[in-house]
Amino acid sequence: MVKIGAIIQARLGSERLPNKALLPLPFSGGPSLLQHVVNRAKAATIVDEVIVATTEKAVDNAIESFCKDQAIVCFRGDEQDVLDRFVKAAANYNLDIIVRLTGDNPFISPETINATVQQHLNQGADYTITEGLPLGINIEVIAFSALELAARNATEPADREHVTPYIRRETGFKRLTIPFDFPVKDLRLTVDYPSDYALASLLYEKLYAPEHLFGFEEIINLLQQNLWLKDVNAGNTQRTAFADEADELQQAKQLLQKAGFTRVLTKL
């Protein structure tokens, strides 16, 4: 029987927003940001195990304590070598399929997890990713065999830190992309900066209720009724782990196109 697990990477040492994983959401009072991610991962019926994978640094003792208090499975590993942390966590809990999540994405959808994992299984993929969703709610699904192979062979620091670039780049892996058409464009639903936390808090203040996991439709309706909300964190940029130079060039072209620099594009 195939065992499917969600591994949530989390740490408290963020430079831009320290201790963000344990901040209350909403700010006025509620479960921690990490608790929301765990709750949403556990609501995915296709997932058998939910694991928080944090670092061995003393600062992250608080995450381990939080997990013990909430009866959440916790695994600790290398801070910088996140790929090694993932493969050891997966091996420790005998996972065949891994849903990769992060502790700063409290808007992930259980339905998206279920659908993505099911298609991954149906297609016999090594790696599956969604695209077209706002930053913070796309899903990655990885076969343990692929993760293990990457952990054995990847040597570049970026491949070790960001887990999946080696699998997304190298030949020999069966990759699958599942497209979505989210109607609200250029939206950040991750929490990396204080203004990201502000937007997340505003959305949770309006939509969250205990025992209710609001979904994409409710987020979209609220944003369409209050168009200013997406401007709260619109100026933030995200550090991206590119699979290779071609991937980086393609994303650069998209940014130039969006900014209207079409003459520059003809020279690339």
Side-chain angles (χ1 to χ4, degrees):
M1 183 176 177
V2 175
K3 186 176 182 182
I4 299 163
I7 299 181
I8 305 166
Q9 65 186 76
R11 64 187 183 93
L12 295 179
S14 169
E15 295 178 359
R16 287 166 287 204
L17 187 58
N19 302 313
K20 62 183 177 181
L22 298 183
L23 291 175
L25 193 63
F27 180 71
S28 60
S32 68
L33 198 155
L34 179 57
Q35 182 72 66
H36 286 298
V37 179
V38 170
N39 290 347
R40 286 173 171 268
K42 285 186 173 182
T45 55
I46 205 165
V47 170
D48 302 304
E49 189 87 71
V50 176
I51 303 158
V52 171
T54 192
T55 83
E56 296 169 332
K57 295 190 69 175
V59 67
D60 290 319
N61 290 346
I63 288 184
E64 183 176 29
S65 296
F66 161 78
C67 289
K68 286 181 179 178
D69 290 343
Q70 301 298 322
I72 300 166
V73 176
C74 183
F75 181 88
R76 303 187 72 168
D78 191 276
E79 179 189 23
Q80 298 299 326
D81 193 346
V82 190
L83 174 56
D84 181 73
R85 197 192 317 167
F86 262 69
V87 77
K88 286 180 177 176
N92 194 61
Y93 292 96
N94 301 308
L95 303 184
D96 301 296
I97 303 293
I98 298 95
V99 181
R100 183 190 174 214
L101 304 173
T102 60
D104 51 9
N105 291 338
F107 296 97
I108 57 169
S109 161
E111 292 77 17
T112 303
I113 293 174
N114 286 338
T116 305
V117 172
Q118 192 59 62
Q119 290 204 47
H120 177 93
L121 293 171
N122 291 346
Q123 297 295 322
D126 294 311
Y127 174 81
T128 302
I129 189 170
T130 61
E131 68 174 12
L133 294 171
L135 184 67
I137 56 176
N138 281 295
I139 300 295
E140 287 181 297
V141 180
I142 316 153
F144 177 73
S145 57
L147 194 69
E148 192 175 37
L149 184 61
R152 284 202 305 267
N153 295 328
T155 57
E156 293 297 324
D159 290 341
R160 312 295 305 189
E161 180 185 357
H162 298 289
V163 184
T164 60
Y166 182 90
I167 299 171
R168 290 188 282 125
R169 181 184 67 245
E170 298 297 327
T171 60
F173 296 105
K174 183 177 181 180
R175 294 180 281 261
L176 176 66
T177 300
I178 302 174
F180 284 83
D181 184 19
F182 198 88
V184 182
K185 306 303 181 185
D186 301 322
L187 176 66
R188 286 177 59 90
L189 288 178
T190 189
V191 178
D192 201 29
Y193 296 88
S195 56
D196 293 331
Y197 177 54
L199 176 61
S201 186
L202 286 167
L203 294 176
Y204 262 83
E205 191 71 54
K206 293 292 290 184
L207 299 175
Y208 171 71
E211 310 303 324
H212 173 59
L213 296 179
F214 59 86
F216 291 168
E217 185 175 352
E218 291 161 283
I219 295 172
I220 291 164
N221 288 340
L222 181 59
L223 289 166
Q224 290 178 336
Q225 292 165 14
N226 302 272
L227 297 176
W228 60 272
L229 278 170
K230 62 179 292 190
D231 295 331
V232 170
N233 62 348
N236 295 339
T237 57
Q238 193 74 12
R239 185 177 63 170
T240 303
F242 298 107
D244 51 31
E245 290 184 3
D247 183 27
E248 185 173 4
L249 180 60
Q250 180 60 34
Q251 294 203 34
K253 287 180 177 179
Q254 291 174 358
L255 289 172
L256 289 169
Q257 181 73 45
K258 186 183 299 183
F261 294 109
T262 54
R263 291 179 62 186
V264 176
L265 286 171
T266 63
K267 301 181 183 298
L268 295 177

